[in-house]
Amino acid sequence: MKFAYKFSNLLGTVYCRGNLNFTPDGNSVISPVGNRITLFDLKNNKSETLPFATCHNIVCVGLSPDGNLAVLVDEEGAALLISLLTKSVLHQFHFHKPVHSVAFSPDGRKFVITKDNVALMYHAPGRRREFNTFVLDKSYYGPYDETTCIDWTDDSKCFVIGSKDMSTWVFGAKRWANLVYYSLGGHKNSIMGCYFEANSLNLYTVSRDGVLCVWECDTELAGLKSRLPKDEVAIQKPISGGEKDEEEGPEVEEIHGKANPNQQEHSGKVKYSRTAKYFFNKEGDFNNVTAVAYHKKIHLLVTGFASGIFHLHELPDFNLIHSLSISDQSIASIAINGTGDWIAFGCSGPGLLLVWEWQSESYVLKQQGHFNNMASLAYSPDGQHLVTGGDDGKVKVWNASSGFCFVTFTEHTSSVTAVTFTSSGFVVVSASLDGTVRAFDLHRYRNFRTFTAQRLVQFSCLAVDFSGEIVCAGSQDAFDVYVWSMQTGRLLDVLAGHEGPVSSISFSPSKAMLATASWDKNVRLWNMSDSWRTRETLSLTSDVLAVTFRPDGRELAVCTLDGQITFWDPEIASQTGSIEGRHDIQMGRRELDKITAKQAAKGRSFTSLCYSADGQSILVGGSSKFVCIYSVEEQILMKKFEISCNLSLDAMEEYLDRRKMTEFGSLALLDEGAGDGNTVDLALPGVKRGDMSSRSFKPEIRVTCLRFSPTGRSWAATTTEGLLIYSLDSTVIFDPFELDLDITPSSVRKVLWQKKFTAAIVMAFRLNEKNLIKEVLEHVPYNEIDVVCSSLPELYVEKVLQFLASALETSRHLEFYLTWTQQLLVLHGQKLKTRSETLLPMILSLQKSIQSNFEDVSKLCDWNRYNLKYALAISQQRGLKRSVESSMSDEDSDTMEACNMQPMEDGTMQI
């Protein structure tokens, strides 16, 4: 492989858990997706998953006021300090315990995290380089239970935290003389949100049971007095026990608050009084509050409930502005952008992310992944779109460049087992366990064909021939393969002969041949042109799980249950090679496994495979966190990709944690409370103690489907975490071509200054540095492009076209690069046509780039045409109005002359 594939994007998962954040400009949303974060650009309609990951699912995201830094904290308390500018990790830290919330101060100098019943204030990393990024400043104690939320005053002088013990605590970021701490009560349930009013110490607190309390402070922010010498409340002492950390320093300042201080301690200090108390559930529709957000500038309070309803209130009068239901499950997180126009909602149950413009009552963004696991995947012929099918019965079509789902089909009533595109790219075909195969039109977004069998069967695999006229599906209960006509929808034939469930089928791209694989250890080759007769039967040593043809149709790859990958020549039905892949699976040990991962791997195998676009390598994956790429010719492992490092998933580690092992085995295997009078004798798997309806589920990492892009520049995998896309990274590896000692960047530029453009291009491609190639091509005069293209050696025509395909995706010189493309194809098209099979991925990549630019330019032209029409209509309307006014004034003057009316000095008329 000349290039290295790296993680590019995560589709299919838009929100898991944790808090949402808007960037300071208000145009993007930062959403936690498992152990990664995704940036949704609402202005440019794009999404990007950043290329770093934590060890567990992210639960807290703290964003700095300037939007350059962010703190990510996972379930176990491990934190990453990241730069959103360079998209890299700056520092790693561990808080040793789960963290509930993170908030930067408005001036960006401090940030506070809450864990257990303590709030820790750290110095925020500044612009100067520091060896220790997380420096603890103060520790604040007061609540008796876990802390839940944080908010700062606008001047960063004080902050407030809410707790599960129904109390709210106001602390000073400095030791003010009249404010060290203050405790507020008034609620009967845990605090979900506490917020300061703008430029004030006045407070709003919201509890889980739907109660809002308004607190008024007798002191303004300017009335806070500078600190005095230390008293008995704020003292210096070392961190005790588990709170001590070597990186935090030996001593920090601890502030211990009291829930009921005496009058002497509070004399002459800040005091709060409750001025109002409001209830969200006046009509009796009792729902717990699950998420709260408040915008200080426009006094907008947004509350989300467990029923999926959200309310908009204007404070402090508590006027209801709007109420809407967005889901049937609870709202987990709410965020408001800087201007207060857009509100982001996250629902962790269905995996829903929604951005709502409350003034116009319209959606800015509405994205939702598959409710259950993704089961199948397919690329469109041009590589611009992907289609996925899930266990939730939905078929979703995604834009590969933007990362957004633009259409969802919900006609299936059971799990979707296979999806594919037709050769035109405008029809999606899906097979399901509900006994139907459906065809969807991407022009009108409708289900225009439904294929069924004579009796109800469950379809497990699907294939469409190259012409798009024949649709085949294999069943897992009837052991037959059904053939339909796309045009008429009629059942043409039923292919019988297999003695086990049909696991996979594939059409040959070049010949009228269909390959069907089954659990009966056979692969049958059917001849389409000869009345669907069995041409050959390939016998294997184990159950066949997957089968696929090479893009040129001259080779067949088969994956079996014993972990072997075999290669066959379909013309003569002979085996040409095999790969023993059992040792490369390297699966992890699940928590409930009673045997080691090494022993369990003996019974595992690859379940999905596909060829690369050029057919030189094959991609395989299965019930493991690894995806392997093998060389077909050399039959060796080229690279192994670890698709996830998320320890929140099951079967991630080869060995179980010894701290979770007892003399009776793993703690996960022990039944807590077995035989106890208050619980069941034998707990069901996943059942918590004493609650038969509660279930805990830890999903297992696996790869269900793999596909290479037709352009050859990326591949995708449907996994437990979502749809992962890996793209070529051509900037990291130095890969020269026919390099010579005389070829250097300076010598290339010297030849370029001499206006020897063809020689400079050849030298730049031999050095193979992207920036240098771009510099040389863009220095060629526009009127000499045809001359340079005609004198370019044939060997370098393909390399120039490949570079143009990648440059057209990002460059603004659209007409310049299109001229290069046109001249190369016109002058060298006939020679390139003779090698069309090998050049197909490059041509598809070029077509994808041109089509993407065409769509962008057409949208821009349509918008400009609309604006011009609008401007012309306005000008015509104003011109018409002026002409009417002028005609009316002329008529008035004519009337006055006809009546000999003359104005008098007192304003009256004389006739």
Side-chain angles (χ1 to χ4, degrees):
M1 296 289 288
K2 293 184 178 180
F3 299 94
Y5 287 93
K6 69 172 185 177
F7 174 78
S8 174
N9 206 353
L10 172 63
L11 281 65
T13 306
V14 294
Y15 176 77
C16 287
R17 57 179 299 190
N19 59 306
L20 299 171
N21 286 272
F22 273 98
T23 53
D25 59 4
N27 295 328
S28 301
V29 178
I30 299 176
S31 173
V33 285
N35 63 335
R36 302 177 185 269
I37 60 171
T38 300
L39 188 67
F40 293 93
D41 190 344
L42 305 177
K43 187 176 181 180
N44 298 317
N45 194 34
K46 287 186 177 181
S47 68
E48 179 186 9
T49 303
L50 302 188
F52 43 76
T54 58
C55 294
H56 294 83
N57 288 333
I58 296 174
V59 294
C60 295
V61 178
L63 188 64
S64 63
D66 57 3
N68 296 334
L69 299 176
V71 176
L72 313 180
V73 188
D74 64 16
E75 296 171 339
E76 299 295 323
L80 294 180
L81 176 67
I82 64 168
S83 170
L84 294 177
L85 297 178
T86 60
K87 299 173 184 176
S88 59
V89 178
L90 303 179
H91 188 68
Q92 297 181 6
F93 191 76
H94 207 296
F95 293 109
H96 303 296
K97 290 184 179 180
V99 174
H100 306 116
S101 55
V102 182
F104 276 82
S105 61
D107 60 5
R109 296 183 179 179
K110 303 287 180 66
F111 69 90
V112 174
I113 67 102
T114 60
K115 64 176 184 178
D116 288 343
N117 63 337
V118 62
L120 303 177
M121 184 167 66
Y122 288 84
H123 292 282
R127 294 184 178 180
R128 58 190 178 92
R129 297 181 179 179
E130 299 172 347
F131 175 73
N132 189 2
T133 311
F134 286 76
V135 179
L136 182 61
D137 185 20
K138 295 181 182 66
S139 299
Y140 297 87
Y141 295 87
Y144 295 104
D145 205 343
E146 293 181 355
T147 48
T148 56
C149 50
I150 312 171
D151 190 45
W152 285 83
T153 55
D154 291 337
D155 57 1
S156 304
K157 292 182 178 180
C158 304
F159 65 92
V160 58
I161 61 174
S163 174
K164 288 185 178 180
D165 64 359
M166 302 173 287
S167 64
T168 306
W169 293 78
V170 182
F171 291 104
K174 299 179 180 178
R175 282 190 294 111
W176 304 106
N178 53 346
L179 178 59
V180 179
Y181 67 89
Y182 199 97
S183 176
L184 301 172
H187 287 281
K188 297 181 180 180
N189 211 322
S190 58
I191 306 298
M192 297 303 299
C194 48
Y195 304 97
F196 282 107
E197 190 55 89
N199 300 314
S200 173
L201 285 172
N202 296 339
L203 272 173
Y204 300 107
T205 58
V206 182
S207 61
R208 180 178 290 274
D209 56 357
V211 177
L212 168 68
C213 290
V214 182
W215 304 89
E216 184 178 354
C217 183
D218 62 352
T219 307
E220 297 293 332
L221 283 172
L224 294 177
K225 301 175 184 179
S226 58
R227 71 180 194 172
L228 297 176
K230 300 175 188 176
D231 51 18
E232 68 276 5
V233 177
I235 59 175
Q236 292 275 357
K237 59 170 68 176
I239 303 178
S240 61
E243 298 295 334
K244 186 172 182 178
D245 193 288
E246 294 179 358
E247 295 182 350
E248 292 176 350
E251 293 185 356
V252 294
E253 184 177 354
E254 291 187 0
I255 297 178
H256 292 263
K258 298 180 182 179
N260 297 309
N262 54 42
Q263 294 183 356
Q264 185 178 359
E265 290 180 354
H266 262 185
S267 61
K269 295 185 179 180
V270 169
K271 293 183 180 179
Y272 278 90
S273 60
R274 190 176 70 192
T275 59
K277 189 173 184 179
Y278 301 102
F279 299 89
F280 290 97
N281 305 298
K282 291 183 179 180
E283 292 80 9
D285 53 339
F286 184 82
N287 286 313
N288 287 334
V289 176
T290 55
V292 189
Y294 177 65
H295 196 279
K296 299 181 181 180
K297 294 181 181 179
I298 61 175
H299 308 285
L300 181 67
L301 179 70
V302 187
T303 51
F305 296 87
S307 60
I309 299 174
F310 73 89
H311 292 173
L312 271 63
H313 288 88
E314 183 183 7
L315 298 183
D317 298 329
F318 199 67
N319 297 324
L320 181 62
I321 301 174
H322 191 65
S323 179
L324 185 70
S325 176
I326 60 173
S327 175
D328 58 353
Q329 299 193 35
S330 63
I331 300 174
S333 179
I334 300 176
I336 310 175
N337 71 340
T339 59
D341 297 328
W342 294 347
I343 306 172
F345 300 93
C347 301
S348 57
L352 173 67
L353 177 63
L354 187 147
V355 180
W356 174 264
E357 187 174 7
W358 64 275
Q359 292 176 336
S360 62
E361 299 184 5
S362 60
Y363 291 116
V364 179
L365 172 71
K366 187 177 183 181
Q367 289 289 305
Q368 184 178 3
H370 287 279
F371 185 75
N372 293 320
N373 292 332
M374 295 184 184
S376 53
L377 157 75
Y379 267 100
S380 63
D382 57 2
Q384 293 192 33
H385 301 121
L386 297 100
V387 58
T388 58
D391 291 340
D392 56 356
K394 294 181 181 179
V395 177
K396 290 179 174 287
V397 186
W398 307 82
N399 189 309
S401 57
S402 68
F404 285 118
C405 171
F406 61 90
V407 61
T408 301
F409 300 106
T410 59
E411 281 78 6
H412 284 295
T413 58
S414 186
S415 299
V416 177
T417 55
V419 290
T420 186
F421 276 94
T422 60
S423 57
S424 64
F426 301 115
V427 176
V428 172
V429 186
S430 62
S432 172
L433 296 180
D434 63 1
T436 62
V437 174
R438 297 178 183 270
F440 303 97
D441 183 7
L442 293 185
H443 285 302
R444 299 182 180 180
Y445 301 132
R446 63 187 181 94
N447 175 208
F448 69 94
R449 285 284 185 275
T450 301
F451 309 99
T452 57
Q454 304 98 326
R455 63 188 183 91
L456 187 62
V457 295
Q458 293 182 324
F459 295 113
S460 58
C461 49
L462 176 71
V464 179
D465 73 331
F466 185 76
S467 64
E469 298 296 329
I470 303 298
V471 179
C472 294
S475 63
Q476 66 180 18
D477 49 1
F479 309 160
D480 297 329
V481 178
Y482 297 86
V483 185
W484 296 275
S485 168
M486 178 70 79
Q487 291 290 338
T488 62
R490 294 178 56 188
L491 180 64
L492 301 179
D493 204 346
V494 179
L495 309 182
H498 283 294
E499 299 176 357
V502 180
S503 56
S504 178
I505 60 177
S506 178
F507 270 105
S508 173
S510 58
K511 298 181 179 179
M513 185 186 300
L514 173 70
T516 61
S518 172
W519 291 4
D520 60 2
K521 304 180 182 180
N522 291 324
V523 173
R524 292 179 176 268
L525 303 179
W526 309 82
N527 195 337
M528 294 171 55
S529 58
D530 191 13
S531 301
W532 294 99
R533 293 183 180 178
T534 305
R535 181 173 179 176
E536 296 288 349
T537 300
L538 311 179
S539 299
L540 293 105
T541 59
S542 184
D543 297 357
V544 184
L545 302 180
V547 62
T548 184
F549 277 96
R550 201 168 65 182
D552 59 2
R554 298 176 182 175
E555 189 176 68
L556 185 70
V558 180
C559 182
T560 55
L561 188 62
D562 57 1
Q564 280 195 347
I565 305 169
T566 55
F567 301 96
W568 300 77
D569 186 347
E571 289 294 328
I572 59 177
S574 64
Q575 183 176 342
T576 59
S578 65
I579 297 175
E580 185 67 39
R582 181 185 301 173
H583 303 294
D584 300 323
I585 297 176
Q586 196 176 346
M587 61 172 293
R589 182 175 179 179
R590 293 176 296 189
E591 285 188 348
L592 300 179
D593 279 347
K594 297 181 181 181
I595 59 175
T596 62
K598 186 176 181 180
Q599 293 294 328
K602 294 181 179 180
R604 295 301 176 99
S605 59
F606 295 117
T607 57
S608 178
L609 78 164
C610 67
Y611 277 96
S612 60
D614 56 5
Q616 297 180 3
S617 57
I618 193 165
L619 194 68
V620 292
S623 299
S624 171
K625 64 177 179 179
F626 292 103
V627 171
C628 302
I629 289 186
Y630 292 96
S631 171
V632 176
E633 183 179 359
E634 300 177 2
Q635 298 179 6
I636 59 173
L637 178 67
M638 300 173 61
K639 189 168 183 180
K640 184 184 288 187
F641 296 93
E642 185 178 5
I643 60 173
S644 178
C645 60
N646 190 0
L647 299 180
S648 297
L649 302 176
D650 205 1
M652 285 295 299
E653 295 182 291
E654 186 176 358
Y655 301 101
L656 293 181
D657 192 345
R658 289 297 177 185
R659 292 171 293 183
K660 298 180 181 179
M661 298 296 291
T662 65
E663 58 180 329
F664 304 105
S666 174
L667 288 175
L669 293 170
L670 299 182
D671 294 330
E672 295 184 7
D676 196 354
N678 297 327
T679 59
V680 293
D681 291 337
L682 294 175
L684 296 175
V687 176
K688 295 181 180 179
R689 177 172 177 172
D691 186 2
M692 292 295 295
S693 63
S694 180
R695 297 290 186 270
S696 61
F697 176 67
K698 193 173 183 180
E700 180 183 352
I701 183 67
R702 61 174 179 166
V703 179
T704 55
C705 189
L706 291 166
R707 290 293 181 268
F708 244 102
S709 171
T711 62
R713 298 191 59 83
S714 63
W715 58 270
T718 53
T719 68
T720 308
E721 288 194 310
L723 175 59
L724 300 177
I725 297 179
Y726 285 77
S727 301
L728 282 176
D729 182 18
S730 57
T731 60
V732 178
I733 297 177
F734 175 65
D735 185 24
F737 175 72
E738 296 182 356
L739 188 62
D740 197 356
L741 291 176
D742 297 333
I743 299 178
T744 62
S746 59
S747 63
V748 173
R749 292 187 176 94
K750 184 177 180 181
V751 174
L752 183 63
W753 293 335
Q754 297 173 1
K755 297 187 177 181
K756 299 178 181 179
F757 300 116
T758 304
I761 291 173
V762 172
M763 293 173 65
F765 274 98
R766 291 178 67 180
L767 194 61
N768 206 8
E769 287 190 4
K770 186 175 180 180
N771 293 331
L772 185 62
I773 296 173
K774 181 180 178 181
E775 179 183 348
V776 171
L777 286 179
E778 292 184 355
H779 273 79
V780 177
Y782 182 79
N783 54 0
E784 295 187 20
I785 293 178
D786 54 347
V787 178
V788 175
C789 289
S790 61
S791 60
L792 199 65
E794 183 181 352
L795 182 62
Y796 292 91
V797 172
E798 179 184 350
K799 294 184 176 297
V800 175
L801 286 173
Q802 186 66 52
F803 174 80
L804 292 174
S806 60
L808 280 169
E809 294 179 357
T810 57
S811 178
R812 297 182 179 179
H813 306 297
L814 185 58
E815 184 180 1
F816 181 78
Y817 283 122
L818 285 176
T819 304
W820 271 99
T821 305
Q822 182 183 13
Q823 293 297 330
L824 287 172
L825 293 177
V826 168
L827 297 172
H828 302 275
Q830 293 298 326
K831 296 179 180 179
L832 294 174
K833 197 173 182 179
T834 59
R835 297 186 293 122
S836 59
E837 291 183 357
T838 58
L839 296 180
L840 183 60
M842 181 268 295
I843 297 297
L844 289 174
S845 178
L846 188 64
Q847 179 188 357
K848 176 184 175 182
S849 301
I850 295 175
Q851 182 66 25
S852 177
N853 282 286
F854 171 75
E855 293 176 357
D856 293 340
V857 173
S858 62
K859 289 179 182 178
L860 182 62
C861 293
D862 291 340
W863 176 250
N864 290 337
R865 288 176 59 189
Y866 169 78
N867 287 335
L868 289 174
K869 289 181 179 179
Y870 180 76
L872 289 173
I874 293 296
S875 62
Q876 292 175 359
Q877 186 178 5
R878 290 181 178 178
L880 181 62
K881 185 177 180 181
R882 290 175 183 173
S883 62
V884 171
E885 291 177 351
S886 61
S887 61
M888 290 180 62
S889 60
D890 293 341
E891 290 178 359
D892 292 342
S893 61
D894 294 341
T895 304
M896 292 175 62
E897 291 178 359
C899 298
N900 294 323
M901 291 172 29
Q902 296 180 357
M904 302 292 292
E905 293 181 357
D906 58 355
T908 59
M909 293 291 179
Q910 180 182 9
I911 299 178

